[in-house]
């Protein structure tokens, strides 16, 4: 009878009771799976339940936090062996289906009618909702500095939103379970660092609502309140017309952890000064230098905030074309903290590679870029899929741009080592095509951010340059138009320098195709823009290489428009 009840041809109201009878743990696991967000249930969610969560303690060091809830379901879900046995049984009986998912793990799906049936017969939904919220928040990264924070957070964000949306009496539960409450609010605030305008605003507002004047977790109160205010301020800067109150009521630090948040406050002040017309670099440096350690003992969290400050200082040197000073800062930072396993490390390495290119140390820049890309292999040891990581895409872009710089130098110098040039162009184009597909997939999923849009712009420019340098001129012209469209999307994040470069390149293409009148119009527009913006070093090392290449390619005296050549 039990065998026939579990047969795939039987109805759910026959099969599920049979499962409860033969394997109660598997039935309990299925009930929990049915309570999760239906679109995608990533295995990484459960992998992180089996381990402690890394968070910052008030003394500024990393602490490992266990799941702080006593419920029968916790034991089942946090035991790796029981989970795998249950998943294997459920899949073999056709209750669930697995396929490749994010971060190199699987994802699970459940038929809607089975989900509806199980949800309908599950008792005490309130308890399931609370356990779900606690476990999902435990699985969510507990520090921004965690390896692959962005990619792990994005994979878990749908489950986090679902858990918060479908948990009744949330405020009362948080206040009566203070140890779990801190972890829940921390996950909520950290999730506001990820994509999604509406969720960012909702997450910060919800966290603020959950934080009364004197919650039971008093030791954590000031940190969480400072975190809320910092997020509100940051969102008011990043999301125009969001109605977020940008009045920041400064709270003074009481320990190294809150002092690090104060350091972030000063860092945002510095960034505001930098972005005011690309202007007040001296004012930015003054803001950065206000930050001091809380006491004589240097803590890890404060050291990491100091790194962010030093990184901005290095970028300021780069933007002032003080490339040696900038590269020295970046090199010392990489030597002190050589790990590239987080997004800060990849950003730092990208700027270091760009300053090496600006100094024409191309062989060393290429070597550094290749080593950095290879270092991302370490992410596999952390259970992260290398190709899906933002940091890997960022480092690939640096390597591809370095190879383009190599090609531009060979062309300007007239050496024309065609074998090397062909090799560089083929390798860079292969990387660009792969990154183009990845960026477009991110867009289709609705997961785009300003960072991914800027990455896509760099990819579009790189693809256009490959065609341009390979003398595939019609294709290059079309690709430059694609790059222009991408630049328009990013118009609030890039200066006139980028459209100017595009005009120069389009001018060169039209000139080579014999379209001298079009070329002349583009050249005049580009030169007019150059008189306003000049050389800029804000973006990638490619910019100044392109200017030098175009200067050698386009006549200084202008273009003779008298003889128009009509291409075949």
């Amino acid at each position: 009878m039990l065998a026939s009840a579990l047969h795939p041809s039987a109805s759910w109201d026959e099969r599920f009771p049979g499962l409860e009878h033969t394997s109660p743990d598997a039935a309990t696991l299925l009930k929990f799976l049915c309570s999760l967000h239906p679109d995608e249930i990533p295995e990484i969610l459960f992998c992180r339940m089996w381990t402690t969560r890394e968070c910052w303690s008030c003394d500024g060091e990393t602490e490992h936090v266990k799941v702080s809830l006593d419920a029968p379901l916790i034991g089942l879900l946090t035991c790796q062996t029981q989970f795998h046995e249950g998943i294997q049984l459920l899949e073999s009986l056709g209750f669930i289906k697995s396929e490749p998912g994010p971060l190199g793990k699987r994802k699970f799906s459940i038929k809607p009618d089975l989900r509806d049936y199980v949800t309908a017969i599950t008792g005490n939904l309130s308890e399931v909702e609370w356990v779900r919220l606690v476990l999902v928040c435990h699985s969510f990264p507990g520090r921004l500095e965690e390896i692959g924070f962005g990619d792990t957070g994005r994979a878990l964000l749908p489950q986090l939103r679902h858990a918060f949306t479908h948990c009744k009496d949330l405020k009362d539960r948080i206040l009566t379970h203070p140890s779990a409450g801190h972890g829940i609010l921390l996950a909520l605030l950290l999730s506001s660092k990820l994509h999604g305008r509406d969720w960012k605003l909702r997450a910060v507002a919800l966290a603020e609502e959950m934080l009364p004047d004197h919650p039971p977790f008093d030791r954590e109160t000031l940190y969480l309140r400072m975190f809320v205010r910092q997020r509100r301020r940051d969102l008011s800067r990043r999301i125009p017309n969001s109605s977020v109150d940008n009045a920041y009521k400064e709270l003074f630090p009481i320990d190294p952890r809150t002092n690090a948040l104060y350091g972030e406050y000063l860092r945002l002040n510095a960034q505001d000064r930098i972005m005011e017309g690309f202007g007040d670099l001296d004012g930015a440096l003054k803001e950065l230098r206000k930050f001091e350690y809380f006491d004589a003992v240097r803590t890890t969290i404060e050291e990491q905030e100091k790194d962010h400050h030093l990184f901005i200082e290095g970028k300021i040197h780069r933007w002032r074309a003080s490339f040696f000073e900038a590269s020295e800062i970046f090199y010392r930072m990489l030597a002190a903290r050589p790990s590239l396993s987080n997004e800060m490390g990849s950003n730092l390495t990208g700027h270091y590679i760009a300053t090496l290119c600006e100094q024409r140390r191309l062989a060393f820049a290429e070597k550094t870029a290749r080593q950095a890309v290879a270092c991302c292999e370490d992410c596999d040891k952390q259970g992260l899929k290398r190709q899906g990581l933002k940091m890997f895409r960022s480092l690939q872009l640096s390597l591809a741009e370095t190879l383009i710089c190599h090609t531009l130098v060979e062309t300007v110098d007239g050496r024309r080592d065609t074998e090397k040039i062909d090799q560089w162009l083929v390798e860079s184009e292969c990387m660009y095509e792969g990154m183009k597909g990845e960026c477009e997939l991110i867009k289709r999923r609705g997961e785009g951010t300003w960072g991914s849009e800027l990455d896509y712009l760099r990819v579009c420019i790189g693809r256009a340059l490959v065609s341009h340098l390979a003398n595939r001129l019609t294709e290059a012209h079309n690709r430059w138009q694609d790059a222009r469209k991408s630049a328009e999307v990013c118009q609030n994040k890039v200066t006139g320098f980028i459209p100017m470069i595009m005009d120069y390149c389009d001018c060169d293409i039209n000139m080579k195709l014999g379209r001298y009148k079009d070329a002349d119009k583009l050249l005049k527009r580009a030169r007019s823009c150059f008189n306003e913006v000049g050389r800029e070093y804000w973006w990638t090392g490619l910019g100044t290489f392109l200017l030098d290449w175009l200067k050698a390619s386009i006549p200084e005296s202008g273009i003779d428009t008298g003889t128009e050549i009509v291409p075949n």
Side-chain angles (χ1 to χ4, degrees):
M1 287 292 292
L2 286 175
S4 62
L6 290 171
H7 193 273
S9 63
S11 61
W12 295 127
D13 56 1
E14 293 176 306
R15 295 174 65 189
F16 187 76
L19 178 68
E20 284 188 303
H21 185 84
T22 58
S23 181
D25 284 350
T28 301
L29 176 58
L30 181 59
K31 287 180 181 179
F32 184 77
L33 291 171
C34 288
S35 76
L36 296 171
H37 188 277
D39 289 351
E40 182 177 282
I41 303 173
E43 186 180 22
I44 192 70
L45 171 69
F46 300 95
C47 295
R48 295 175 66 86
M49 288 182 191
W50 307 327
T51 62
T52 55
R53 185 188 192 200
E54 285 189 6
C55 302
W56 289 116
S57 65
C58 59
D59 62 5
E61 301 300 332
T62 303
E63 64 178 353
H64 295 267
V65 180
K66 296 180 180 179
V67 177
S68 52
L69 192 65
D70 184 19
L73 188 57
I74 298 291
L76 170 63
L77 293 171
T78 57
C79 176
Q80 186 173 354
T81 303
Q82 282 184 278
F83 173 81
H84 281 307
E85 288 175 352
I87 287 292
Q88 186 176 2
L89 179 61
L90 291 174
E91 190 167 12
S92 68
L93 294 173
F95 284 97
I96 66 171
K97 179 183 175 183
S98 71
E99 57 186 311
L103 303 170
K105 300 293 182 181
R106 296 175 293 175
K107 63 181 179 181
F108 307 113
S109 58
I110 304 169
K111 290 182 178 180
D113 56 339
L114 172 58
R115 179 184 296 276
D116 293 343
Y117 170 79
V118 172
T119 303
I121 66 169
T122 300
N124 195 8
L125 285 175
S126 177
E127 187 61 28
V128 173
E129 290 170 356
W130 175 243
V131 171
R132 176 181 60 201
L133 180 64
V134 172
L135 288 174
V136 170
C137 289
H138 177 81
S139 297
F140 200 83
R143 302 182 307 144
L144 282 172
E145 297 78 9
E146 182 179 315
I147 293 170
F149 169 85
D151 292 276
T152 304
R154 281 185 284 274
L156 298 177
L157 188 57
Q159 296 298 337
L160 188 82
R161 287 197 300 246
H162 179 79
F164 273 103
T165 302
H166 299 281
C167 186
K168 300 180 184 68
D169 304 319
L170 180 57
K171 186 172 183 177
D172 290 340
R173 286 181 175 277
I174 285 177
L175 294 178
T176 53
H177 297 83
S179 55
H182 169 253
I184 288 170
L185 291 180
L186 182 62
L188 186 61
L189 287 166
L190 287 169
S191 74
S192 72
K193 292 276 190 176
L194 300 172
H195 70 275
R197 175 186 185 277
D198 292 343
W199 176 252
K200 288 176 184 288
L201 298 173
R202 183 183 167 206
V204 173
L206 185 58
E208 191 167 34
E209 181 186 336
M210 297 297 108
L211 263 176
D213 291 336
H214 299 289
F217 35 97
D218 289 330
R219 191 178 179 189
E220 309 295 340
T221 302
L222 185 62
Y223 174 64
L224 290 168
R225 191 170 292 127
M226 285 183 74
F227 202 164
V228 166
R229 292 185 182 181
Q230 194 77 296
R231 294 302 299 133
R232 286 176 62 85
R233 179 186 184 224
D234 194 29
L235 293 180
S236 72
R237 297 161 69 249
R238 293 177 180 272
I239 305 178
N241 306 317
S242 61
S243 74
V244 177
D245 180 12
N246 63 1
Y248 183 86
K249 298 176 181 177
E250 191 172 333
L251 292 174
F252 292 98
I254 60 169
D255 54 37
R257 184 175 57 180
T258 50
N259 191 44
L261 271 180
Y262 179 67
E264 183 184 354
Y265 163 75
L266 296 174
R267 175 158 50 94
L268 294 179
N269 285 350
Q271 289 174 342
D272 285 344
R273 289 181 177 273
I274 289 169
M275 297 307 292
E276 288 173 0
F278 301 106
D280 190 6
L281 300 184
D282 288 331
L285 287 172
K286 286 179 182 177
E287 285 295 312
L288 295 174
R289 288 165 184 166
K290 290 179 184 177
F291 182 55
E292 297 178 351
Y293 292 98
F294 185 73
D295 53 35
V297 179
R298 296 189 173 193
T299 65
T300 304
I301 193 171
E302 290 172 302
E303 284 285 292
Q304 296 210 356
E305 183 57 35
K306 276 283 190 183
D307 279 352
H308 286 292
H309 288 222
L310 188 57
F311 183 32
I312 293 177
E313 189 173 336
K315 288 192 286 186
I316 289 173
H317 281 298
R318 181 187 166 194
W319 296 331
R320 285 174 163 168
S322 302
F323 301 124
F324 177 77
E325 290 83 353
S327 62
E328 284 294 295
I329 288 175
F330 298 147
Y331 175 78
R332 288 199 305 271
M333 290 182 70
L334 287 169
R337 300 183 186 278
S339 174
L340 299 176
S341 55
N342 58 41
E343 292 181 17
M344 167 68 173
S346 65
N347 290 335
L348 173 60
T349 306
H351 276 275
Y352 180 52
I353 292 166
T355 56
L356 294 174
C357 288
E358 296 284 10
Q359 295 175 84
R360 302 311 194 251
R361 298 168 64 188
L362 292 178
F364 188 44
E366 181 186 347
K367 178 182 177 182
T368 303
R370 291 192 185 281
Q371 287 176 339
V373 170
C375 278
C376 278
E377 296 286 356
D378 290 343
C379 292
D380 292 336
K381 299 173 184 177
Q382 305 293 332
L384 302 176
K385 187 178 180 182
R386 183 189 62 176
Q387 282 78 1
L389 294 173
K390 179 183 182 297
M391 61 187 181
F392 181 67
R393 184 171 68 245
S394 172
L395 294 171
Q396 267 198 316
L397 275 167
S398 294
L399 175 56
E401 289 168 352
T402 302
L403 298 179
I404 295 293
C405 290
H406 265 308
T407 306
L408 291 170
V409 167
E410 286 283 325
T411 306
V412 169
D413 292 352
R415 288 176 283 186
R416 299 296 301 182
D417 186 332
T418 55
E419 186 176 342
K420 277 187 177 179
I421 288 174
D422 289 346
Q423 181 181 342
W424 289 327
L425 291 178
V426 167
E427 184 179 1
S428 58
E429 185 163 36
C430 182
M431 285 189 281
Y432 282 129
E433 291 304 316
M435 288 184 281
K436 178 176 180 286
E438 186 181 333
C439 289
E440 289 175 347
L441 179 61
I442 289 171
K443 282 187 177 184
R444 286 197 299 273
R445 288 177 172 173
E447 298 174 356
T449 63
W450 277 117
S452 64
E453 289 289 355
L454 288 171
D455 283 350
Y456 187 61
L457 174 57
R458 289 169 69 182
V459 168
C460 289
I461 289 175
R463 292 177 73 243
L465 278 171
V466 168
S467 299
H468 197 156
L469 291 165
N471 212 35
R472 306 194 307 254
L473 298 180
T474 302
E475 179 184 80
H477 173 75
N478 293 334
R479 287 183 171 184
W480 277 119
Q481 303 320 305
D482 291 340
R484 286 183 188 277
K485 292 174 186 174
S486 182
E488 288 172 6
V489 173
C490 301
Q491 60 184 349
N492 294 325
K493 299 293 179 181
V494 299
T495 68
F497 182 80
I498 303 304
M500 177 192 74
I501 286 293
M502 293 177 181
D503 282 344
Y504 270 125
C505 289
D506 235 354
C507 167
D508 183 59
I509 291 171
N510 278 283
M511 190 173 65
K512 288 173 179 174
L513 290 173
R515 301 168 183 164
Y516 297 128
K517 290 180 181 178
D518 288 342
D520 185 57
K521 289 178 184 176
L522 288 161
L523 180 60
K524 287 176 180 175
R525 190 167 71 186
R527 285 181 172 171
S528 174
C529 187
F530 182 79
N531 290 335
E532 294 181 19
V533 301
R535 286 177 178 253
E536 285 188 3
Y537 309 96
W538 293 79
W539 206 49
T540 76
L542 267 179
T544 51
F545 277 86
L546 274 170
L547 282 176
D548 292 341
W549 176 64
L550 292 162
K551 184 178 179 182
S553 180
I554 299 172
E556 185 67 29
S557 58
I559 297 169
D560 180 5
T561 61
T563 306
E564 187 86 358
I565 299 175
V566 180
N568 294 324

